Amino acid sequence: MSKLLLRYKWRWLLLFYSLTLLGITTAAYLRLIPTVLAQVPLYDVIGHFVLYGMAGYLAHRATHRRYVRLGRWQLPLGGLIVAACACVEESLQALSPVRSFDLKDLACNWLGIGLACWLDLKMTLRRMAILKPERHA
């Protein structure tokens, strides 16, 4: 792989995934999502959780795991950006005759984003603990 691609691999992955997510969203507005999916129990909830969780993870990695301070909280920048986009997209559904605003969907988006960023933090801390040389007294 080229050095440029490796250097910005998370940004490229986020761009590709964002375009995929935009395609899925557009398909939903155009009613192109197969109706057979509605037969799967909780497909909507799981879909929101997984799709936005993956976007949150990729955005978190693409922003080099940066955090911003909001009051007493430190929150992942990439996760916040994806959460804001999820709020906008879900709010726009209230204006659509085809889609409908649902707080449950928004909550699943946020939970997926939060879990993905939290798991990345835990994996990073574990990796650091493994790589950290132990000091013997």
Side-chain angles (χ1 to χ4, degrees):
M1 278 192 200
S2 73
K3 288 183 181 182
L4 183 66
L5 183 59
L6 283 174
R7 184 173 179 198
Y8 297 107
K9 70 178 177 181
W10 292 109
R11 291 179 184 175
W12 286 110
L13 285 169
L14 177 61
L15 175 64
F16 175 75
Y17 189 79
S18 297
L19 292 173
T20 302
L21 197 55
L22 181 64
I24 293 168
T25 303
T26 302
Y29 278 100
L30 297 175
R31 293 185 176 182
L32 298 176
I33 303 292
T35 55
V36 71
L37 286 176
Q39 297 172 1
V40 177
L42 301 174
Y43 90 96
D44 190 39
V45 171
I46 294 168
H48 280 270
F49 185 84
V50 171
L51 290 172
Y52 278 92
M54 182 62 88
Y57 174 77
L58 291 173
H60 185 54
R61 294 300 304 265
T63 57
H64 305 289
R65 297 179 170 121
R66 287 192 182 105
Y67 285 81
V68 294
R69 184 173 292 279
L70 293 176
R72 299 180 337 179
W73 299 88
Q74 276 197 314
L75 300 171
L77 175 62
L80 283 176
I81 292 169
V82 174
C85 291
C87 287
V88 169
E89 199 279 322
E90 195 66 39
S91 297
L92 287 174
Q93 289 182 21
L95 304 174
S96 170
V98 178
R99 313 265 328 262
S100 61
F101 175 82
D102 189 356
L103 280 176
K104 181 179 64 175
D105 290 347
L106 188 58
C108 289
N109 294 344
W110 289 350
L111 286 172
I113 294 164
L115 180 64
C117 292
W118 179 78
L119 285 174
D120 182 63
L121 173 65
K122 291 298 178 190
M123 288 187 304
T124 302
L125 292 175
R126 179 169 287 170
R127 197 173 315 116
M128 289 172 60
I130 291 171
L131 296 176
K132 182 180 172 185
E134 292 185 30
R135 294 185 186 180
H136 297 284

